[in-house]
């Protein structure tokens, strides 16, 4: 089989998979850069390469996402190891990272400033922020980050990701939301991408490969967000920021939860697709 034949099958929709999954998988098997597919379209896959390629295509067709097949996902400017124990980082969550960085910029904090990431999964939010804080030495080198998760398997992945990305300012803690933390320790920022999908949401049928505990929450998907917001005032400094990712149709409910728990300047920010995705509030 030649590369040009694979490209033709992609064009005809023959794999029934997202085009970039097939392309990225092919590049992974060949260990070549993108340009190879153009410059060497007549290249014939070896027997071993073809077996590996087809095995991966079969796996993806059976429901394994590309990120789990190759064991990694790009997020922010970094790369994160993923497996079946973690949510796969989504581009929309980069908006959450950006929102936190934008809010922090004009503020002056007494160092060390502290940030808490609840339900860290792969660690993508905390590690991306930790990476940026370490880079911006002059303004925010003294940030200390704490990332918690209920899953020890997810924490193992997150710790590995911190190492892989040379990020050393994140401490990982095994905890169900705030449970293992002390209210004596206050944070300047709390951030979270919690589970927020309702159990009856049709969208879930497409998300079978990721842990259900990272996706689904009771009470129309709002139960974990409610818990996080309700207890946030005990862990935030006055003037601190709470930033939470949520479903595209949850902005109104999430804003109401923020308002009911003493947050001010409550606002919602859209994701790259123009959907309501992040709500923030300041504790005053
Ligand atoms: N945004 C993800 C999705 O709908 C879900 C992530 C989450 O529940 N935190 O695919």
């Amino acid at each position: 089989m030649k590369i040009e034949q694979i490209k033709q099958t992609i064009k005809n929709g023959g794999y029934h998979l997202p085009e970039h999954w097939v392309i990225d998988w092919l590049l992974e098997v060949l260990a070549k850069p993108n340009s190879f597919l153009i410059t060497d379209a007549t290249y014939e896959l070896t027997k071993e390469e073809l077996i590996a390629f087809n095995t991966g295509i079969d796996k993806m067709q059976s429901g394994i996402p590309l990120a789990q097949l190759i064991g990694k996902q790009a997020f922010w400017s970094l790369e994160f190891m993923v497996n079946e124990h973690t949510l796969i980082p989504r581009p929309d969550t980069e908006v959450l990272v950006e929102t936190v960085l934008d809010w922090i910029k004009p503020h002056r904090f007494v160092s060390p400033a502290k940030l808490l990431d609840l339900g860290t999964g792969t660690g993508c939010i905390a590690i991306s922020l930790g990476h940026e804080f370490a880079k911006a030495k002059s303004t925010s080198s003294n940030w200390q980050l704490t990332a918690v998760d209920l899953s020890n398997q997810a924490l193992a992945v997150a710790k590995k990701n911190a190492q892989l990305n040379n990020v050393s300012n994140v401490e990982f803690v095994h905890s169900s939301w705030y449970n293992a933390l002390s209210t004596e320790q206050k944070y300047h920022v709390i951030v979270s991408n919690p589970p927020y999908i309702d159990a009856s949401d049709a969208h879930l049928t497409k998300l079978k490969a990721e842990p259900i505990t990272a996706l689904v929450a009771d009470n129309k998907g709002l139960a974990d967000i409610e818990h996080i917001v309700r207890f946030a005032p005990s862990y935030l400094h006055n003037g601190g920021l709470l930033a939470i990712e949520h479903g595209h149709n949850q902005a109104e409910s999430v804003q109401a939860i923020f308002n009911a728990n003493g947050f001010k300047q409550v606002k919602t920010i859209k994701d790259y697709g123009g959907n309501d995705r992040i709500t923030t509030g300041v504790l005053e």
Side-chain angles (χ1 to χ4, degrees), residues 82-272:
V82 306
N83 63 23
E84 71 278 16
H85 301 300
T86 60
L87 190 77
I88 299 166
R90 315 278 205 269
D92 291 336
T93 305
E94 293 178 349
V95 178
L96 185 54
V97 173
E98 224 165 66
T99 301
V100 169
L101 289 173
D102 285 350
W103 183 82
I104 282 170
K105 223 176 273 165
H107 285 78
R108 289 253 165 270
F109 296 100
V110 179
S111 81
K114 289 189 142 294
L115 179 143
L116 173 64
D117 173 22
L118 294 168
T120 198
T122 56
C124 65
I125 298 169
I127 293 167
S128 300
L129 287 167
H131 170 82
E132 291 302 318
F133 294 153
K135 243 177 35 183
K137 281 218 159 41
S138 55
T139 51
S140 41
S141 58
N142 284 319
W143 279 87
Q144 289 176 359
L145 298 92
T146 303
V148 312
D149 207 286
L150 178 60
S151 158
N152 274 317
Q153 287 141 319
L155 281 176
V157 173
K159 284 179 191 166
K160 184 98 200 158
N161 279 326
Q163 274 172 12
L164 290 170
N165 289 295
N166 290 316
V167 166
S168 56
N169 49 2
V170 185
E171 172 200 22
F172 295 95
V173 177
H174 182 224
S175 178
S176 171
W177 304 128
Y178 304 98
N179 275 2
L181 307 172
S182 156
T183 49
E184 313 232 312
Q185 180 58 70
K186 308 275 190 227
Y187 298 86
H188 299 88
V189 175
I190 298 178
V191 64
S192 183
N193 174 18
Y196 53 70
I197 303 177
D198 181 71
S200 66
D201 194 320
H203 174 60
L204 272 180
T205 53
K206 292 197 207 126
L207 302 174
K208 288 212 173 82
E210 292 169 285
I212 195 86
T213 49
L215 294 165
V216 170
D218 289 341
N219 189 17
K220 300 194 185 106
L222 291 167
D224 290 306
I225 291 178
E226 263 171 349
H227 181 91
I228 290 167
V229 181
R230 181 141 70 96
F231 291 96
S234 306
Y235 296 88
L236 264 181
H237 283 293
N238 270 343
L241 178 81
L242 176 62
I244 296 190
E245 178 173 329
H246 53 74
H248 64 94
N249 53 0
Q250 292 173 331
E252 205 178 312
S253 311
V254 175
Q255 286 207 3
I257 297 169
F258 271 64
N259 287 321
N261 286 282
F263 284 90
K264 305 283 185 241
Q265 304 170 44
V266 176
K267 58 180 176 218
T268 297
I269 294 139
K270 292 190 189 299
D271 63 21
Y272 298 129

Side-chain angles (χ1 to χ4, degrees), residues 29-56:
V29 169
L30 300 175
K32 296 282 185 207
N34 225 318
S35 56
F36 187 79
L37 304 186
I38 298 162
T39 55
D40 292 75
T42 55
Y43 175 81
E44 173 115 34
L45 275 69
T46 66
K47 209 169 138 204
E48 289 75 24
E49 285 169 344
L50 189 59
I51 290 171
F53 175 73
N54 286 333
T55 306

